[in-house]
Amino acid sequence: MSDKSYLNWPFLEPKHRELAETLDAWAAENIDSNPHPGPDVDDECKELVQKLAEGGWLNYAVALRSEGQKLDVRSLCLIRETLGRYSGLADFAFAMQGLGSGSISLFGSDALQQEYLSAVREGKKIAAFALTEPDAGSDVAAMSTTAEDAGDHYIVNGEKTFISNGGIADYYVLFARTGDAGAKGISAMILDADTEGLEIAERIQVCAPHPLARLKMTNCKIPKSKLLGNEGEGFKISMATLDVFRSTVGAASLGFARRALDEAIARTTSRELFGAPMADLQLVQTQLAEMALDIDASALLIYRAAWTKDCVAERVTREAAMAKLYATEASQKAIDTAVQLFGGLGVTVGMPVEELYREVRALRIYEGASEVQKLIIAKQTLMNEGH
């Protein structure tokens, strides 16, 4: 049983504590926590989206301005942490409904919010966020996908890659160049999946199976009514969206780490080694202590960042980067320790720690690799010191 004392920390309000307890009970009944690669990950994701919608959890992933809603980052973190503890794929399904609609929640017109967010919330549309390109990952400003002005619409040409939900999404929040080189020439718009000229050029297989694809756009027509914010604000929109969801990546990895610690404790207290439980060995106790320490430190950074975003500041670039960097790196370390404590079983397909080992690896890369987070933290620290 994972430690839940953190729910009493001052970063969280009674509504958050109730959310965490209610979701935990729901997930125990509705989410299969046993590893099962499954023959069709697309269908599994679609099924999970429907379950999350029916449970009401996708209400937290969107924010309709007309209903006076605002994305609550603490709720998003609690949901991703809890789902991550049960199933990496369930976390993925929820996270992409949030990330793929986040830019619309933050910058979409009332008409676009009504058209897309209500459908996302109800599980009727699957969302995706199309930012990365073959030659523009960490360096977003180097993107080459173009959106040419053609009167009342844009003509889009280019490629996007490593797009989560690629191939099953109903729409993509697309970032493309409408102006000169650099960050100020990028705009954000919605590309519907049935747009003529949009092709799923490749389905990408990764170590932890998720729907992932390379997209190719050839003379795709996107009405200007699908523009998010103003022309040239795409870079700002992408960064503001990541400002919200970057902390939640750390939260997902925290859920993975909590599950790893649970599994490690169960293993070391039930298996005997040299005539006594493994947990009696001081070396094992040291490893468990380091896991517990890293988990609490991660949680402090995550919920500090989420609370700051919800209650104090509009932008939390530094805090979110710290949370994402520390939590994902610490989770990788904790899961590696759990695998080691399991011995040969730890690398056996079908064991929870083996699945966690594959699931956590991508979190140190997507939504800003660990190395990029260090640059962000350094830049923000120097700015705060007046340099």
Side-chain angles (χ1 to χ4, degrees):
M1 176 65 70
S2 294
D3 172 46
K4 294 185 179 180
S5 61
Y6 73 102
L7 293 174
N8 293 317
W9 290 352
F11 294 126
L12 302 174
E13 301 172 20
K15 65 179 181 181
H16 297 115
R17 298 179 186 105
E18 182 180 357
L19 166 65
E21 295 290 350
T22 305
L23 175 57
D24 194 24
W26 179 88
E29 291 290 328
N30 292 276
I31 302 297
D32 185 357
S33 62
N34 296 312
H36 56 292
D40 195 333
V41 72
D42 290 359
D43 285 345
E44 286 186 58
C45 273
K46 292 175 184 178
E47 181 182 340
L48 284 165
V49 167
Q50 289 303 312
K51 280 187 177 182
L52 291 165
E54 291 166 6
W57 307 114
L58 295 184
N59 292 340
Y60 295 91
V62 303
L64 280 84
R65 190 182 303 111
S66 61
E67 297 181 12
Q69 297 172 348
K70 179 184 176 183
L71 290 170
D72 186 89
V73 185
R74 286 170 292 177
S75 295
L76 292 169
C77 286
L78 284 167
I79 292 171
R80 290 203 65 182
E81 179 188 336
T82 303
L83 292 176
R85 188 156 42 83
Y86 281 90
S87 163
L89 199 59
D91 164 66
F92 172 88
F94 174 83
M96 286 314 305
Q97 289 298 89
L99 181 64
S101 62
S103 300
I104 306 174
S105 289
L106 295 172
F107 295 94
S109 65
D110 288 345
L112 288 176
Q113 289 200 347
Q114 287 297 327
E115 180 180 356
Y116 289 93
L117 297 187
S118 297
V120 169
R121 180 171 61 185
E122 295 166 8
K124 294 178 179 177
K125 283 187 184 293
I126 292 180
F129 187 78
L131 180 65
T132 300
E133 297 185 359
D135 296 315
S138 298
D139 184 6
V140 174
M143 73 171 54
S144 59
T145 295
T146 58
E148 182 183 349
D149 192 328
D152 63 350
H153 62 275
Y154 296 102
I155 302 294
V156 177
N157 286 279
E159 288 191 9
K160 297 291 179 180
T161 194
F162 293 113
I163 305 306
S164 294
N165 277 347
I168 68 169
D170 294 290
Y171 73 87
Y172 301 85
V173 169
L174 178 75
F175 297 85
R177 186 165 299 286
T178 54
D180 296 333
K184 293 183 179 179
I186 298 169
S187 298
M189 58 197 71
I190 300 173
L191 172 64
D192 290 312
D194 59 0
T195 301
E196 186 177 353
L198 172 60
E199 174 190 356
I200 305 301
E202 177 188 9
R203 292 302 299 268
I204 301 171
Q205 302 298 315
V206 288
C207 58
H210 298 108
L212 204 66
R214 177 169 60 89
L215 313 180
K216 184 176 182 180
M217 287 78 68
T218 304
N219 296 327
C220 290
K221 291 184 178 181
I222 300 181
K224 285 189 175 178
S225 60
K226 304 281 188 178
L227 184 70
L228 297 173
N230 297 314
E231 202 172 89
E233 290 185 338
F235 185 82
K236 179 184 80 171
I237 290 170
S238 68
M239 293 301 106
T241 304
L242 293 176
D243 234 23
V244 170
F245 288 95
R246 199 163 263 162
S247 298
T248 77
V249 180
S253 68
L254 175 60
F256 293 168
R258 289 195 192 278
R259 176 69 183 276
L261 180 57
D262 288 347
E263 296 289 340
I265 290 173
R267 174 67 171 169
T268 58
T269 54
S270 63
R271 185 191 179 197
E272 287 202 355
L273 197 63
F274 307 119
M278 282 182 67
D280 286 355
L281 297 174
Q282 289 186 337
L283 181 59
V284 172
Q285 291 177 3
T286 298
Q287 291 173 300
L288 295 175
E290 289 177 352
M291 293 171 74
L293 175 63
D294 280 344
I295 284 170
D296 268 21
S298 297
L300 282 164
L301 284 168
I302 290 162
Y303 290 105
R304 189 266 307 248
W307 171 81
T308 303
K309 175 64 177 172
D310 288 338
C311 303
V312 178
E314 184 63 28
R315 297 299 302 272
V316 288
T317 305
R318 175 176 174 270
E319 292 87 348
M322 284 183 169
K324 200 261 185 189
L325 170 65
Y326 188 90
T328 55
E329 293 289 331
S331 181
Q332 179 85 62
K333 177 184 170 186
I335 291 167
D336 186 74
T337 298
V339 169
Q340 195 73 11
L341 289 170
F342 266 74
L345 282 179
V347 292
T348 304
V349 173
M351 295 298 293
V353 292
E354 183 272 339
E355 183 179 48
L356 288 167
Y357 194 81
R358 289 182 288 106
E359 288 281 0
V360 75
R361 189 58 186 86
L363 276 64
R364 295 168 59 202
I365 298 173
Y366 74 66
E367 291 190 40
S370 292
E371 293 75 16
V372 173
Q373 301 312 312
K374 291 177 183 178
L375 295 176
I376 291 170
I377 294 166
K379 181 179 179 181
Q380 292 293 316
T381 301
L382 288 168
M383 286 175 60
N384 291 345
E385 294 296 324
H387 297 287

